Amino acid sequence: MSDRPPLSTAQALGLMLLAAFLWGLSFPTIKAMAGAFPPITLAALRGAVSALTLLLWFSLMRQDLLPRSKREAFDWLILGALNGWIANLLVAYAMQSLPAGKAAMIQACGPLITALIASQLFADERISPRRLFGILVGLGGVALLIGPRLFGEAATPLAAAAMVGVAVSYALGNIYVRLLPVAEPKRLALGQQVMSGIFASCLAMAIPGPSSLAALPQQVHLVLVMGVVSTAAPIVLYMIAIRALGPTRASMTGYLVPAWAVILSALLLGEAIAPREAIAGLIILAGVYLVTATRKAGNA
């Protein structure tokens, strides 16, 4: 990779946009398989296929495939849980009853949760009045979005809570990476997917058992889309783009993924977004923008 010419900003932005599109595709893909596999089996398939894809890619790039130290192995284990099998399991569970687009919009509150946690740990992440306003705006959007899911005959409170749990899990993963003295993004990405695939696969074989894979021959095309196209591929694209753009501009994928998920879910699954849900999603993204824009401007 070091022999390739550096990417231009336009090329890197193009890769970032493509990565967001592919991550957004994961939501309707998982929704389409929601009844075919138990949630833990779906999480295992996602982690295992993604891990195998990244192992192949690293092998072609002649990169180390094993942890270089006990500390790195520990980091892989932690991130494999927070950014891997826990989040994948919660998404698969929530998608059994939540529309894919709405699930993606709930997950978009992740940066707000990250900001709240980071403000308690890092001096440069203190919450200014503007950032606090952004957090409150975003959380208000989440309340507007999930409120009807908590009460009434059509309520799905556990599914809504699961997607909030996804956002919390990713937020903790981001905080953990921030705490690392040295972090190589590409190796962290590889390690978390490998550990995620191993752990989720063990749980799937121990709890629902091998019989939970019975639908695999009929669903193999969607499993490959989920694991290769919508998980491993965007990770690789994001790792390439982040080298040219830096982490701040590359973090814009957080705004784009839910938008793509809503659009693709409408096109592929026929999901409709009610005006209240669209407004709630825009409020969430507005809150996320206020929090991240304030941080980027250094107004903490």
Side-chain angles (χ1 to χ4, degrees):
M1 294 176 61
S2 59
D3 295 330
R4 296 179 181 178
L7 292 176
S8 66
T9 299
Q11 289 172 325
L13 286 172
L15 290 180
M16 188 188 70
L17 289 171
L18 180 56
F21 171 82
L22 296 177
W23 266 319
L25 180 61
S26 68
F27 286 89
T29 303
I30 293 171
K31 180 64 178 179
M33 293 186 290
F37 304 100
I40 186 58
T41 303
L42 199 54
L45 288 169
R46 185 177 188 180
V49 173
S50 174
L52 290 173
T53 303
L54 288 178
L55 285 169
L56 175 61
W57 183 68
F58 269 67
S59 296
L60 293 174
M61 295 296 104
R62 300 182 182 278
Q63 301 288 321
D64 294 338
L65 301 180
L66 298 175
R68 294 171 176 169
S69 64
K70 291 182 179 179
R71 174 56 193 262
E72 186 175 54
F74 181 78
D75 294 338
W76 286 13
L77 184 64
I78 296 298
L79 293 175
L82 296 175
N83 289 347
W85 69 267
I86 292 177
N88 292 342
L89 173 59
L90 291 174
V91 169
Y93 170 78
M95 218 71 78
Q96 291 181 320
S97 53
L98 275 181
K102 185 174 293 186
M105 287 192 289
I106 296 174
Q107 185 181 318
C109 72
L112 307 176
I113 298 172
T114 301
L116 283 172
I117 299 173
S119 68
Q120 303 302 310
L121 298 176
F122 308 111
D124 61 342
E125 295 283 355
R126 291 174 182 170
I127 297 181
S128 66
R130 286 181 59 187
R131 293 189 71 192
L132 179 60
F133 177 70
I135 291 171
L136 294 176
V137 167
L139 294 180
V142 174
L144 179 63
L145 181 63
I146 70 175
R149 289 278 166 180
L150 302 180
F151 308 100
E153 294 181 359
T156 54
L158 292 180
M163 287 311 303
V164 175
V166 174
V168 172
S169 188
Y170 283 136
L172 292 174
N174 291 336
I175 294 295
Y176 186 83
V177 172
R178 172 75 185 270
L179 292 170
L180 295 178
V182 178
E184 293 185 55
K186 64 181 182 179
R187 291 191 58 77
L188 292 179
L190 170 69
Q192 73 181 33
Q193 291 304 311
V194 170
M195 293 300 181
S196 173
I198 292 173
F199 203 91
S201 296
C202 290
L203 286 177
M205 292 302 100
I207 302 174
S211 61
S212 64
L213 295 170
L216 185 56
Q218 294 77 35
Q219 302 289 331
V220 66
H221 60 297
L222 291 177
V223 170
L224 291 175
V225 170
M226 175 183 64
V228 178
V229 179
S230 294
T231 304
I235 287 175
V236 172
L237 294 174
Y238 186 78
M239 288 189 301
I240 295 173
I242 201 172
R243 296 175 64 196
L245 295 175
T248 298
R249 282 193 289 178
S251 69
M252 286 191 295
T253 54
Y255 307 104
L256 300 171
V257 171
W260 277 122
V262 169
I263 293 170
L264 290 170
S265 298
L267 292 175
L268 299 175
L269 303 178
E271 290 186 0
I273 298 296
R276 177 188 56 79
E277 296 167 349
I279 292 171
L282 291 174
I283 291 173
I284 293 170
L285 292 181
V288 171
Y289 172 77
L290 286 172
V291 170
T292 57
T294 303
R295 182 176 61 192
K296 284 183 277 190
N299 299 325

